[in-house]
Amino acid sequence: MGCLISSMACCVGSAACGCISSCCPTMRSSTTSRLMYSGILLIMVAISLIIRIPGISDALKKAPGICKDGDNSGIINGYIPGVLTCDSLSSYLFVYKVCFPVAIFFFLMSLIMIEVRSSKDIRAPIQNGFWLWKYLIVIAGIIATVVWMPENFAYPWMVIAYIFAFIFIIIQLLLLVDFAHTWNESWLDNAENKDRSWMCGIAFSFCFNFVAIIAGNVLLYVFYTSCTGNASTSPLSRST
């Protein structure tokens, strides 16, 4: 019981610990922070994926009290300030609205943490604590943007998201290539200086990744192409 109370105190108060770090003393505060921030991202991804599942938006439209029909309100594009319309649930802009407060949250946190290099810094508890308030702020922000964000703001935000997503993918590709080179050099060094069995590991990794790439491309052609004669859905257009 005392462990639970102390964990809740860490969530609400300014103690530089996570909700579970007091119950798991072997877990570092930085590890707990990574898990809690990952939880925020998982909430965003889960909401975005669930709402895009075929049939989910239609089911929510049929549920009483979830949304209102914008077509009967006389409002253009089904948007009513302060009201969650049924049209917005089925729109792909709904996902960008969900991502907006999360992006703003992490951007503000990055600004607050500028030049913070140690957990002894006075701003470190902001990074490693206040988890209850952080989650409440993010959830409240998601609800507010879904309901209040107008369409004429959502479209520019979608373009900005496209640009930064492209930059993010490029950075991830560079890091992935660097990781592959470092991994290969490390295993080659072990094979030359320690044990030749490391070469078996290199060969297995190469074969596994090669087969996975071929299988992935085959699945893309099977599930995302068709032979209806339409150029937009032909395998050639998908590959180009």
Side-chain angles (χ1 to χ4, degrees):
M1 186 66 180
C3 177
L4 178 62
I5 295 175
S6 62
S7 297
M8 293 302 297
C10 289
C11 289
V12 180
S14 59
C17 59
C19 290
I20 60 175
S21 59
S22 58
C23 297
C24 305
T26 57
M27 183 178 294
R28 298 177 57 186
S29 179
S30 59
T31 303
T32 304
S33 298
R34 293 187 182 96
L35 293 176
M36 298 302 288
Y37 284 121
S38 299
I40 295 177
L41 294 176
L42 287 176
I43 291 175
M44 177 195 70
V45 173
I47 295 175
S48 303
L49 290 177
I50 291 173
I51 201 62
R52 298 304 298 170
I53 295 177
I56 292 295
S57 60
D58 294 334
L60 292 176
K61 291 178 182 179
K62 297 177 181 178
I66 299 296
C67 62
K68 293 186 178 181
D69 189 0
D71 296 334
N72 299 328
S73 62
I75 305 299
I76 299 176
N77 294 329
Y79 171 71
I80 310 173
V83 176
L84 180 60
T85 61
C86 296
D87 291 337
S88 64
L89 283 177
S90 58
S91 173
Y92 59 89
L93 286 177
F94 183 91
V95 176
Y96 292 95
K97 292 180 180 181
V98 172
C99 297
F100 178 76
V102 180
I104 295 299
F105 170 78
F106 281 105
F107 177 72
L108 293 178
M109 287 296 299
S110 65
L111 294 180
I112 295 173
M113 292 296 110
I114 292 178
E115 295 297 328
V116 175
R117 304 181 183 277
S118 172
S119 59
K120 297 180 181 179
D121 192 282
I122 192 173
R123 290 173 291 172
I126 302 176
Q127 168 74 10
N128 299 325
F130 300 101
W131 294 114
L132 178 62
W133 301 114
K134 289 176 181 177
Y135 273 78
L136 290 178
I137 289 173
V138 170
I139 294 174
I142 291 175
I143 296 174
T145 52
V146 166
V147 175
W148 289 93
M149 181 183 288
E151 303 296 323
N152 57 1
F153 179 81
Y155 278 103
W157 160 242
M158 180 185 67
V159 175
I160 295 173
Y162 280 163
I163 296 173
F164 281 96
F166 174 77
I167 297 173
F168 176 78
I169 291 175
I170 295 299
I171 294 174
Q172 291 298 309
L173 287 175
L174 293 176
L175 293 176
L176 182 61
V177 172
D178 180 69
F179 167 75
H181 280 285
T182 304
W183 183 11
N184 184 61
E185 290 176 359
S186 175
W187 283 27
L188 279 177
D189 182 69
N190 291 332
E192 294 174 355
N193 301 322
K194 295 181 180 180
D195 189 356
R196 297 294 296 178
S197 61
W198 285 92
M199 291 299 297
C200 297
I202 296 175
F204 173 78
S205 300
F206 169 78
C207 294
F208 175 80
N209 287 286
F210 195 78
V211 171
I213 291 172
I214 295 176
N217 281 277
V218 171
L219 292 176
L220 288 175
Y221 277 95
V222 170
F223 290 104
Y224 294 99
T225 59
S226 62
C227 300
T228 58
N230 190 344
S232 61
T233 58
S234 65
L236 181 60
S237 64
R238 293 292 184 179
S239 63
T240 56

